[in-house]
Amino acid sequence: MADDKRRPPTRQLWLVPTAGQAERSLIAEVAVKTPARRLYSYAVPDAWRAVVRAGTAVRVPYGRGQRLTDGVCLRVTTQAWDQTQRPLAAAQPGPAWLSESLVELGLWVSEYYVCAPWKTFAALLPSRLRTPRVKNVPYLRATGAPSADRLSTKQAALLAALGNAEMRRADALARAGVSAATLRTLCQRGLVECLSRAEPVPRRPWPTQPVEPCAADAFELTPGQHDACQQLLAALEPADAFRVLLLFGVPGSGKTEVYVRVMREVIRRGRQAIVLIPEIALATQVVDRLARRFERVAVLHSQLPARLRCETLAAVAAGEVDVVIGTRSAVFAPCPKLGLIVVDEEQETSFKNLAAPYYHARDVAIKRGQIEHVPVMLGSATPALETWYNVQHRPHFQLIRLPQRVPGAHLPEVQLVQRHGPHAGPGDDMLSPRLRAELADTLAAGQQAILLYNRRGYAAYLRCTKCGLTVRCERCGGHLVFHRAEQTLKCHRCSVRVSVPPRCLDSTCGGRLAQTGLAIQRLEEDLRASIPHARLLRLDSDTMRRREDYQQALRGFENGAADILLGTQMVAKGLDFPRVRLAGVIDPAAALSLPDFRAAERVFQLIVQVVGRAGRREGPSLAIVQTAERPPPVIAHALRMDYESFAAEELEQRRRLYYPPHVRMVRLILADPRPNRARAEVERLAVALRDRATRAHAGLRVDPPEPCPVKRRGELLRYQVVLRAPHGASIQGLFDEADRGKDLAPRVQRFTIDVDPVDWL
Ligand code: ADP
Ligand code: ZN
């Protein structure tokens, strides 16, 4: 009753249908800026009929207080007239970039990744699109009032030009050939009214790309490439067949060239292609090589300034761009005539978004292909096990092998060198005599080497020589890493920096601290000491902070400005350097101790990638994997570059342990600054989840709740509970229930739902 009083019935009187409306009205389905996982319907007032469509930014009354709230219209439908339907309060005219299929895709992301539609579409549309740029343009209108005095010729001309319509001020003055003074008199006499109308800012046409002419096809395809192209072209054939094609080729087999040729054909048929690449900083070479092969190319990445990003997307939406190359969010590029999606290096973790919606761009690409009936091409030398599993179990996945390197290039011989005992401390050589000798030979022959050591910093950590206590991060408990250049200790998980303590942290001990374990800066020093004439280039996120640094360093190495490229995993990614004869990997198995069920997969990928950097042109080459202990099985597979055996073994193990890709996983993270709050809530949540699982969701497994590996981030204490289910549907069903029942909604400051998690810290 009280509710009725608060809402006066007269409020929507103006929505009473006219006879012509035949009792039907336009209804906008809106993603409103709230955490709710649903859409809301609003009536579209006549004034906004012409403006509102999918993608239009709107303001709507929302919630108890009917506060005006932002939203994005996702659909407009005609429905039976319903007087209880509240109307939109405002709509912003702008370009409509959201096609029906992008709306469908966004709603799927919202549902699958359990994320509010508003948040999802906010990630999908650039902010400038959500509030399109408009400028206020002065307009004129004749009021139609009778004039008391006689009109001058000029005044009459202006009134005649205006007629009964509204007209831009500038156009009207120009058409009548009169000055602003004439207008002023008419306004003063109340015959003309000045108005202001919002108009979208006109778009500059997209510049046709390269300044240099677009590079021609320089070489004959190898038989393998030719075959792959034929199979891919066949997939384009039935115009609306959805297919996922995995291009599985050893590093240097010329996958990029296959993408180029297939995309050419897509463009020839008047359609557009999207190429997704991992982290842009690591992909500059690929972008350059791809971009210069096409004429109408757009590159999209997160560092693009907002205005440029918006202009680029507008050009894509207008069909002025044939090829969109970009990082993960480019999967949502508003291509009206999409013909192909390529995901290069599809196994890369940077395709996973690390904020809500926690989408995986490769998986979204596949969904988009399905919705828009276009083939999706995944390329990798070491496919994600999820993809490999799908190739074996799903009919619409097809495997295309590219087993040989391009002519002249040969995979290097791979050798294992065992360095006895763990790395101790200063004075102990990091490099085995064998690796050192090969480095010297390589340099003597005027060739280059790449060394990978996946540990930033100088010494991995500091340890008390008396009691053995190591210096750890106060926040997360991980080892602090010593950075010699800055003389500080850093936590690589939570980015904390502290100064180096003079003595053991245990005040009763007070022993001397010494460096133990080794990191990349120590390796650099070792090398400088033992091969003094070598020109070294170190590449890690401490030396390469900006994208330009990275590009410059790589160009330098490509042009022979350094002999040895030394780095963390950054050096392994997709680089093509012709003169590299030797690739070395130091201690790759160390990563196996990370709290990530994909650790072995990552180690395998890393080794294959580094090894693949050598021998990309004529002549013999060598790869050396140096380990401290007896190598674990994953290393043995990697030495033989035998992906398929590794995958079979690893998949079997994951099956036994109930891990993806055999099951779906969801990681729930509860974070709160209050002591014990997150822990208490995670335990309560786990009980509630188990209760649902036994009642309604067969096969759903709730792991015991535990602190996250990074237990503290900023002020927040973090706990997690991991769910596993035989398929996604039962998980999404669970969260639908959570929306209705409050017992599944934890009372913590931050609650994160990560479906198909990749990050385990
Ligand atoms: P992948 O992506 O499989 O590692 P790339 O596409 O980077 O391989 O190709 C490796 C190198 O081989 C590139 O420099 C490329 O220009 C060259 N290349 C590709 N195809 C051919 C070919 N058919 N003949 C000669 N060289 C080729
Ligand atoms: Zn820390």
Side-chain angles (χ1 to χ4, degrees):
M1 282 312 264
D3 220 286
D4 278 344
K5 258 184 225 147
R6 221 180 299 138
R7 202 188 293 160
T10 50
R11 189 168 176 160
Q12 281 130 23
L13 255 190
W14 56 279
L15 255 188
V16 169
T18 57
Q21 262 178 315
E23 314 244 313
R24 297 189 73 72
S25 57
L26 275 192
I27 298 296
E29 284 181 65
V30 179
V32 182
K33 188 173 183 178
T34 77
R37 292 201 303 117
R38 49 162 294 200
L39 302 181
Y40 294 86
S41 301
Y42 291 88
V44 181
D46 284 349
W48 299 114
R49 266 174 180 265
V51 168
V52 177
R53 36 189 175 166
T56 305
V58 294
R59 304 263 295 161
V60 293
Y62 177 78
R64 285 262 187 96
Q66 298 289 290
R67 286 235 326 248
L68 286 190
T69 311
D70 286 342
V72 182
C73 171
L74 298 183
R75 275 190 208 123
V76 180
T77 53
T78 311
Q79 283 176 17
W81 187 76
D82 168 4
Q83 68 164 346
T84 64
Q85 202 72 261
R86 282 167 293 156
L88 296 173
Q92 183 80 270
W97 292 356
L98 267 188
S99 63
E100 225 170 85
S101 38
L102 272 183
V103 169
E104 192 182 340
L105 185 69
L107 290 175
W108 176 82
V109 167
S110 165
E111 163 137 5
Y112 184 85
Y113 293 101
V114 194
C115 177
W118 165 262
K119 234 188 169 152
T120 306
F121 281 89
L124 204 145
L125 296 167
S127 54
R128 292 254 182 153
L129 252 197
R130 275 177 275 134
T131 48
R133 293 219 304 154
V134 291
K135 65 175 181 194
N136 286 320
V137 179
Y139 267 74
L140 301 178
R141 189 176 66 187
T143 57
S147 101
D149 306 299
R150 246 178 53 88
L151 294 172
S152 72
T153 346
K154 285 186 175 177
Q155 291 165 350
L158 184 53
L159 281 181
L162 284 176
N164 292 327
E166 274 179 19
M167 195 180 283
R168 278 165 166 244
R169 183 177 183 272
D171 293 348
L173 294 181
R175 191 176 297 181
V178 301
S179 71
T182 312
L183 172 61
R184 226 170 299 134
T185 324
L186 284 174
C187 287
Q188 278 159 8
R189 286 163 63 181
L191 298 176
V192 172
E193 195 179 4
C194 291
L195 314 156
S196 168
R197 290 274 174 259
E199 283 187 356
V201 176
R203 199 166 62 73
R204 288 186 285 166
W206 185 249
T208 295
Q209 276 263 302
V211 192
E212 317 120 62
C214 136
D217 301 340
F219 23 65
E220 287 285 302
L221 291 183
T222 64
Q225 285 173 320
H226 184 78
D227 249 30
C229 282
Q230 289 309 313
Q231 291 188 59
L232 290 160
L233 292 177
L236 296 179
E237 212 38 69
D240 62 354
F242 159 62
R243 203 98 61 83
V244 183
L245 304 131
L246 172 63
L247 187 58
F248 171 47
V250 296
S253 53
K255 293 186 283 292
T256 316
E257 194 58 33
V258 176
Y259 307 152
V260 170
R261 305 284 169 114
V262 176
M263 286 195 291
R264 286 259 159 87
E265 182 56 26
V266 169
I267 297 167
R268 203 186 60 74
R269 297 176 188 197
R271 305 185 74 172
Q272 297 165 295
I274 298 176
V275 185
L276 299 180
I277 50 169
E279 195 45 70
I280 193 85
L282 305 177
T284 47
Q285 258 196 350
V286 182
V287 172
D288 287 353
R289 278 165 52 203
L290 271 173
R292 61 171 181 252
R293 303 293 293 281
F294 298 96
E295 266 168 20
R296 306 196 307 163
V297 189
V299 178
L300 285 176
H301 56 82
S302 54
Q303 288 170 23
L304 217 56
R307 188 182 54 81
L308 196 55
R309 180 180 188 79
C310 212
E311 280 177 9
T312 307
L313 289 174
V316 171
E320 290 168 17
V321 166
D322 299 323
V323 176
V324 181
I325 306 174
T327 46
R328 57 182 176 259
S329 67
V331 72
F332 300 114
C335 300
K337 299 173 298 174
L338 189 63
L340 176 73
I341 309 177
V342 176
V343 187
D344 188 29
E345 303 290 351
E346 62 88 32
Q347 81 286 354
E348 282 293 327
T349 51
S350 64
F351 285 123
K352 175 83 171 168
N353 201 29
L354 293 182
Y358 284 80
Y359 67 88
H360 196 301
R362 180 233 299 137
D363 298 340
V364 177
I366 292 173
K367 187 68 196 178
R368 185 164 182 185
Q370 187 189 12
I371 291 173
E372 303 205 21
H373 308 290
V374 302
V376 178
M377 180 153 106
L378 311 177
S380 180
T382 51
L385 286 182
E386 283 79 2
T387 302
W388 194 246
Y389 178 88
N390 285 337
V391 160
Q392 287 161 351
H393 291 89
R394 291 177 196 267
H396 55 277
F397 275 71
Q398 184 184 335
L399 175 64
I400 300 176
R401 289 172 205 268
L402 214 50
Q404 252 103 47
R405 285 198 142 183
V406 299
H410 299 283
L411 276 179
E413 187 193 335
V414 190
Q415 293 182 3
L416 180 76
V417 173
Q418 215 172 311
R419 213 192 141 283
H420 22 262
H423 297 304
D428 182 21
D429 283 337
M430 285 186 77
L431 293 180
S432 62
R434 177 73 207 287
L435 185 48
R436 200 189 305 273
E438 291 293 347
L439 273 173
D441 285 357
T442 304
L443 301 201
Q447 286 175 310
Q448 293 176 308
I450 291 185
L451 284 184
L452 176 127
Y453 187 51
N454 205 9
R455 231 184 223 168
R456 284 162 57 202
Y458 180 82
Y461 42 89
L462 296 178
R463 183 198 293 268
C464 173
T465 49
K466 212 162 133 197
C467 72
L469 193 72
T470 52
V471 182
R472 287 169 178 269
C473 171
E474 270 185 29
R475 289 209 169 152
C476 71
H479 281 126
L480 288 171
V481 176
F482 180 50
H483 285 245
R484 186 180 171 98
E486 300 147 62
Q487 288 289 317
T488 50
L489 292 172
K490 268 192 222 173
C491 174
H492 290 170
R493 288 176 176 176
C494 33
S495 307
V496 167
R497 291 157 177 266
V498 294
S499 52
V500 180
R503 298 261 139 202
C504 176
L505 291 184
D506 180 350
S507 53
T508 59
C509 166
R512 196 175 61 82
L513 293 173
Q515 297 159 11
T516 41
L518 294 165
I520 190 134
Q521 293 180 28
R522 184 44 221 295
L523 176 62
E524 183 184 6
E525 228 165 67
D526 262 23
L527 279 167
R528 287 200 193 282
S530 60
I531 318 178
H533 58 280
R535 293 167 303 158
L536 294 185
L537 172 65
R538 197 184 99 218
L539 207 68
D540 58 39
S541 50
D542 292 310
T543 60
M544 304 287 135
R545 294 191 188 280
R546 294 170 314 143
R547 185 177 169 217
E548 298 79 59
D549 298 340
Y550 187 82
Q551 277 174 319
Q552 208 178 351
L554 292 184
R555 298 237 164 83
F557 189 66
E558 203 171 353
N559 298 330
D563 305 310
I564 303 177
L565 175 63
L566 165 73
T568 53
Q569 52 167 344
M570 273 184 160
V571 301
K573 310 285 179 188
L575 303 173
D576 185 30
F577 298 118
R579 295 198 306 129
V580 172
R581 191 191 80 100
L582 176 68
V585 193
I586 295 157
D587 232 356
L592 292 176
S593 61
L594 290 174
D596 178 355
F597 71 88
R598 295 190 183 89
E601 188 180 352
R602 300 274 172 262
V603 168
F604 184 90
Q605 288 164 352
L606 200 60
I607 295 178
V608 171
Q609 278 169 353
V610 188
V611 170
R613 294 313 112 211
R616 293 177 77 87
R617 298 297 187 277
E618 300 287 344
S621 58
L622 179 68
I624 289 185
V625 177
Q626 178 182 307
T627 62
E629 300 95 29
R630 211 161 59 79
V634 50
I635 304 270
H637 290 301
L639 290 174
R640 282 181 277 111
M641 302 284 274
D642 185 356
Y643 174 81
E644 297 189 37
S645 310
F646 165 72
E649 213 172 283
E650 181 70 12
L651 279 175
E652 173 53 23
Q653 193 160 8
R654 296 233 192 125
R655 193 188 58 74
R656 274 189 280 114
L657 298 173
Y658 210 56
Y659 273 120
H662 305 279
V663 296
R664 309 311 290 260
M665 243 182 189
V666 183
R667 182 185 184 210
L668 306 176
I669 303 171
L670 288 73
D672 200 278
R674 292 162 285 189
N676 292 327
R677 170 55 76 100
R679 201 183 61 197
E681 285 292 289
V682 83
E683 269 153 20
R684 203 181 55 78
L685 178 63
V687 170
L689 286 169
R690 276 206 196 100
D691 177 51
R692 302 291 163 105
T694 42
R695 274 193 288 131
H697 300 280
L700 183 71
R701 216 161 92 174
V702 183
D703 287 357
E706 58 189 351
C708 296
V710 175
K711 200 179 148 190
R712 190 169 184 151
R713 211 166 251 175
E715 291 303 297
L716 299 176
L717 291 163
R718 308 164 76 234
Y719 283 80
Q720 67 181 31
V721 55
V722 174
L723 311 183
R724 314 189 210 194
H727 35 72
S730 51
I731 285 170
Q732 274 82 37
L734 192 69
F735 288 102
D736 288 346
E737 279 176 40
D739 280 353
R740 278 175 257 127
K742 283 279 171 265
D743 63 328
L744 291 181
R747 289 162 301 177
V748 288
Q749 195 177 88
R750 192 175 299 165
F751 177 45
T752 305
I753 302 174
D754 187 353
V755 178
D756 301 336
V758 163
D759 173 17
W760 288 97
L761 292 182

